[in-house]
């Protein structure tokens, strides 16, 4: 029995020493020391021994058990350490090495100028109004003095939706929504995205941005309009820019104007952006048509107002000398990170 125990011990020690993983080690523990293990089996046979043998073998078996447990424990620790030693070799990091730069994004050039415009107008006492991009016929056309059969509808090719609504063709719809909610005197701007079913070229997109502005109060005239336009352009371009005002037709203003800016891409010489005319149509405007005011129950004997609709993409193009409007939505990171 003693010899059997010693052989078993030697065999177990060899296996423990040569084991390479914790799983293997656990298996050895179960095979020798577990409930059905070899050492436990020897202990179970002690009943058939003499009392002296039982005492001697029992003691030896317990010592062997403790020794094996101790060796397994040690081997476990050694295997753990080997794992970490290996990690240190293969996965070390140099915390003093310069890190990869995290790229920080920035607001889109259109958003940046939109924020600038909002600040300029807020400093003149204007509020910011918002309206939905999906509009109904009434707010986009009818309430702006453009009834169903009016030819002016052809000026703005429209994306009609299956539900009878449309993607707003201009931010002028927000004029209506503002006057529905707020009674004069009022002044506000509404920047936003607009959509037209148009073929694109260097100066036309199907999705672009406008900033609508309106002021309704007592004795509002073209003089007020021109003053506000001049402040706006001076603040944005930080220099004097050549503009021209010419008559323009929009059913919701009377009189209506087109404010053009001398093309800053070619300095008025003619290029694809200004369609070789030297001028870029930037900002249609005018005095709000009495019909539009009346539809919102505003007393036209008492109040008058002006409105304008600034093409935001084209303004950004003029400011930075961008020669093609399609860059804004092309998603080219090299273009976007310049601003
Ligand atoms: C309008 O949209 C009128 N709602 C503006 C208005 C408001 C007039 C208030 C009077 C009073 P128009 O269609 O011209 O007008 O567009 C206004 C501006 O948006 C243009 O001057 C131009 O700068 C810009 N724009 C128009 N179509 C496009 C397009 N396809 N791509 C890029 N910009 C455009």
């Amino acid at each position: 029995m003693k010899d059997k125990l010693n052989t078993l011990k030697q065999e177990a020690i060899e296996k423990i020493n040569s084991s390479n993983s914790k799983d293997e080690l656990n298996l050895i523990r179960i095979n020798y020391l577990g409930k059905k293990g070899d050492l436990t089996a020897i202990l179970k046979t002690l009943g058939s021994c003499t009392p002296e043998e039982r005492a001697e073998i029992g003691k030896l078996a317990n010592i062997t058990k403790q020794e094996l447990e101790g060796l397994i424990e040690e081997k476990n620790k050694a295997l753990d350490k080997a794992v970490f030693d290996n990690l240190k070799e293969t996965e070390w990091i140099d915390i003093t090495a310069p890190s990869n730069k995290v790229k920080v994004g920035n607001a889109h050039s259109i958003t940046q100028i939109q924020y600038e415009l909002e600040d300029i107008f807020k400093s003149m006492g204007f509020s910011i109004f918002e309206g939905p991009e999906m509009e109904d016929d009434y707010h986009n056309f009818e309430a702006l003095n453009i009834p169903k059969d009016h030819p002016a509808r052809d000026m703005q090719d429209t994306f009609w939706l299956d539900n009878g609504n449309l993607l707003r063709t201009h931010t002028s719809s927000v004029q209506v929504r503002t006057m529905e909610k707020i009674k004069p005197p009022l002044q506000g701007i509404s920047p936003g995205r607009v959509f037209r079913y148009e073929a694109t070229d260097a100066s036309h997109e199907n999705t672009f941005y406008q900033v609508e502005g309106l002021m309704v109060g007592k004795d509002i005239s073209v003089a007020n309009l021109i003053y506000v336009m001049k402040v706006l352009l001076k603040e944005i371009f930080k220099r004097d820019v050549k503009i021209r005002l010419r008559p323009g037709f929009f059913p919701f203003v009377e009189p209506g104007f087109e404010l053009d800016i001398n093309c800053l891409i070619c300095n008025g010489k003619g290029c694809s952006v200004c369609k070789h005319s030297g001028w870029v149509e930037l900002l249609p405007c005018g005095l709000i048509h009495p019909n539009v005011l009346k539809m919102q129950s505003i007393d036209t004997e008492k109040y008058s107002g002006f409105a304008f609709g600034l093409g935001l993409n084209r303004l950004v193009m003029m400011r930075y000398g961008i020669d093609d409007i399609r860059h804004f939505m092309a998603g080219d990171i090299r273009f976007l990170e310049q601003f």
Side-chain angles (χ1 to χ4, degrees):
M1 188 78 91
K2 241 167 133 183
D3 289 347
K4 209 173 163 191
L5 206 54
N6 275 332
T7 316
L8 185 141
K9 182 177 159 188
Q10 282 317 312
E11 199 185 284
I13 290 174
E14 266 167 41
K15 284 192 182 164
I16 292 170
N17 286 340
S18 62
S19 70
N20 287 321
S21 72
K22 294 180 78 160
D23 284 347
E24 204 181 324
L25 202 57
N26 195 33
L27 214 61
I28 296 169
R29 193 182 55 73
I30 294 167
N31 286 345
Y32 288 96
L33 309 177
K35 270 188 193 159
K36 294 181 184 161
D38 294 351
L39 186 70
T40 321
I42 291 178
L43 287 172
K44 279 182 188 161
T45 61
L46 285 181
S48 59
C49 299
T50 61
E52 293 75 31
E53 265 182 340
R54 202 180 306 154
E56 191 189 357
I57 305 291
K59 195 174 167 201
L60 191 62
N62 273 333
I63 291 171
T64 305
K65 191 177 175 204
Q66 278 168 12
E67 270 179 25
L68 291 181
E69 274 172 350
L71 282 174
I72 290 174
E73 177 67 26
E74 259 172 48
K75 184 70 184 188
N76 240 328
K77 282 186 187 151
L79 285 173
D80 278 344
K81 186 170 176 296
V83 170
F84 285 110
D85 286 349
N86 190 35
L87 273 184
K88 260 200 291 185
E89 283 306 311
T90 55
E91 292 191 19
W92 69 279
I93 49 164
D94 178 358
I95 57 165
T96 63
S99 63
N100 291 332
K101 271 199 181 143
V102 176
K103 277 198 173 175
V104 180
N106 56 283
H108 193 281
S109 51
I110 291 185
T111 313
Q112 287 180 28
I113 297 213
Q114 179 189 319
Y115 290 163
E116 259 182 62
L117 285 168
E118 288 179 4
D119 287 343
I120 295 167
F121 278 101
K122 277 196 265 184
S123 75
M124 290 195 277
F126 282 64
S127 307
I128 316 288
F129 298 114
E130 283 187 345
E133 290 181 348
M134 183 178 77
E135 259 305 356
D136 50 41
D137 188 289
Y138 172 76
H139 288 93
N140 199 84
F141 292 124
E142 287 199 35
L144 288 165
N145 206 24
I146 315 176
K148 289 232 157 38
D149 52 358
H150 199 290
R153 288 197 176 205
D154 290 346
M155 288 159 65
Q156 301 184 353
D157 291 315
T158 309
F159 287 111
W160 290 96
L161 305 175
D162 287 345
N163 61 7
N165 288 330
L166 53 99
L167 294 182
R168 68 178 175 191
T169 55
H170 51 183
T171 43
S172 298
S173 51
V174 194
Q175 276 187 41
V176 180
R177 291 187 177 275
T178 304
M179 288 188 275
E180 278 172 352
K181 276 188 245 135
I182 301 169
K183 292 298 149 205
L186 64 93
Q187 59 252 7
I189 60 162
S190 32
R193 193 158 54 156
V194 300
F195 311 85
R196 294 203 193 160
Y197 186 39
E198 276 193 49
T200 59
D201 61 28
S203 55
H204 290 84
E205 257 294 4
N206 49 38
T207 302
F208 57 99
Y209 290 79
Q210 290 186 340
V211 177
E212 193 78 9
L214 90 157
M215 182 175 221
V216 184
K218 283 184 184 151
D219 302 323
I220 300 294
S221 70
V222 175
N224 300 102
L225 168 65
I226 291 176
Y227 174 78
V228 171
M229 297 299 97
K230 275 191 172 163
V231 173
L232 159 68
L233 294 172
K234 197 162 171 251
E235 289 289 326
I236 283 291
F237 290 107
K238 308 272 184 259
R239 61 179 156 135
D240 284 330
V241 285
K242 247 179 144 173
I243 57 163
R244 72 177 185 191
L245 209 56
R246 59 190 167 86
F249 174 72
F250 299 91
F252 37 97
V253 285
E254 182 57 39
F257 308 103
E258 285 284 1
L259 188 149
D260 298 337
I261 180 171
N262 197 238
C263 183
L264 299 178
I265 307 285
C266 61
N267 284 323
K269 290 194 195 79
C271 66
S272 59
V273 171
C274 61
K275 297 209 193 88
H276 304 281
S277 70
W279 295 93
V280 175
E281 187 187 301
L282 187 71
L283 213 162
C285 50
L287 294 186
I288 302 175
H289 197 290
N291 286 354
V292 174
L293 296 174
K294 278 181 201 152
M295 266 191 267
Q296 299 312 321
S297 314
I298 292 173
D299 183 353
T300 50
E301 293 295 319
K302 218 165 143 191
Y303 294 112
S304 55
F306 70 73
F308 61 88
L310 170 75
L312 196 47
N313 299 54
R314 289 190 191 163
L315 183 75
V316 180
M317 288 170 81
M318 289 299 112
R319 167 126 143 206
Y320 294 119
I322 297 165
D323 62 2
D324 198 312
I325 196 170
R326 290 165 288 199
H327 287 309
F328 289 118
M329 301 224 298
D332 187 336
I333 206 87
R334 292 166 304 176
F335 170 78
L336 297 171
E337 63 189 6
Q338 292 177 78
F339 304 99

